[in-house]
Amino acid sequence: LLEEELCLSSKRISTPSWKVLIEAKEAKKQAEKQKNMKNETNTEKEQKQIRRERMQNFEDAFRKIAASTGIHDVEELVRIFIANEEQNFSLFTYANEQANDIERLEGKINDLRDEETRNANESGNDMSQYNIVMHDLEKKIESNEAQSTALEEKCDVDQATFNGLR
């Protein structure tokens, strides 16, 4: 080792300083490459560890599902899950259709209530007019009855006078 260092030292002394700088830069680059390779290796290890942990989580979740459902076949669970999703979607669609029907019927109910109010107002106006006409007719009848009574009394008086003249 001492001989190698002496040899390198003598080379450094005999080589120009710019060559020494270039060699130092290359050595630094090489050290950085090795460091990056180590970092990549660490990153790969971390990725593998993350994948292992995720796989473990999936396995734990499957065990819990299998324990609670009693189904231990993944394909069977997937088939049941898909069937349930289709049924849920069908029910969701049905519920939306029902909600739309309810909304449409509520609109019809409101339209009918508005029509009922309009008709009640119109009939009320008709009834008011009817009541006014009836009141006027009743007054005319009373007036005619009063005139008839007065004329009957006058006729009776005139009849008595006529009978008295005879």
Side-chain angles (χ1 to χ4, degrees):
L1 280 172
L2 281 174
E3 287 178 15
E4 287 177 17
E5 284 183 29
L6 286 173
C7 210
L8 284 173
S9 296
S10 64
K11 283 183 183 178
R12 284 187 196 143
I13 294 172
S14 63
T15 55
S17 62
W18 59 274
K19 282 188 175 180
V20 171
L21 286 175
I22 291 174
E23 287 175 359
K25 284 184 180 180
E26 286 179 14
K28 187 176 180 182
K29 281 183 184 178
Q30 191 65 24
E32 284 180 19
K33 279 184 183 179
Q34 288 177 353
K35 183 179 177 184
N36 286 340
M37 288 175 72
K38 269 187 175 180
N39 286 341
E40 286 177 14
T41 304
N42 287 341
T43 303
E44 288 175 8
K45 286 179 183 177
E46 290 171 1
Q47 291 294 330
K48 284 181 182 178
Q49 181 61 29
I50 289 171
R51 277 183 255 161
R52 273 191 227 112
E53 288 173 1
R54 288 185 72 201
M55 189 58 138
Q56 185 63 40
N57 288 340
F58 286 133
E59 288 173 357
D60 290 344
F62 177 73
R63 277 193 285 280
K64 287 179 185 176
I65 291 170
S68 64
T69 63
I71 300 170
H72 298 284
D73 182 23
V74 173
E75 290 179 17
E76 179 70 11
L77 278 173
V78 169
R79 188 187 62 71
I80 291 171
F81 178 79
I82 290 172
N84 287 341
E85 280 299 307
E86 288 173 355
Q87 183 180 10
N88 285 342
F89 182 73
S90 174
L91 292 172
F92 174 74
T93 302
Y94 178 74
N96 279 339
E97 289 172 359
Q98 293 299 310
N100 291 338
D101 286 346
I102 288 170
E103 203 171 303
R104 182 180 49 78
L105 291 172
E106 284 175 345
K108 281 185 175 181
I109 289 170
N110 288 334
D111 291 345
L112 290 171
R113 285 186 178 151
D114 292 344
E115 185 178 341
E116 178 185 30
T117 302
R118 280 192 309 273
N119 289 338
N121 288 338
E122 288 174 7
S123 333
N125 290 339
D126 290 345
M127 286 301 287
S128 295
Q129 290 174 352
Y130 172 79
N131 288 336
I132 290 170
V133 169
M134 287 300 292
H135 184 67
D136 287 344
L137 289 174
E138 286 173 359
K139 282 185 180 180
K140 284 181 183 179
I141 289 171
E142 286 175 12
S143 172
N144 287 339
E145 284 178 351
Q147 281 180 343
S148 174
T149 304
L151 289 174
E152 282 179 7
E153 287 175 4
K154 186 177 179 190
C155 184
D156 286 342
V157 170
D158 288 342
Q159 186 76 31
T161 307
F162 180 70
N163 284 338
L165 288 173
R166 263 204 214 157

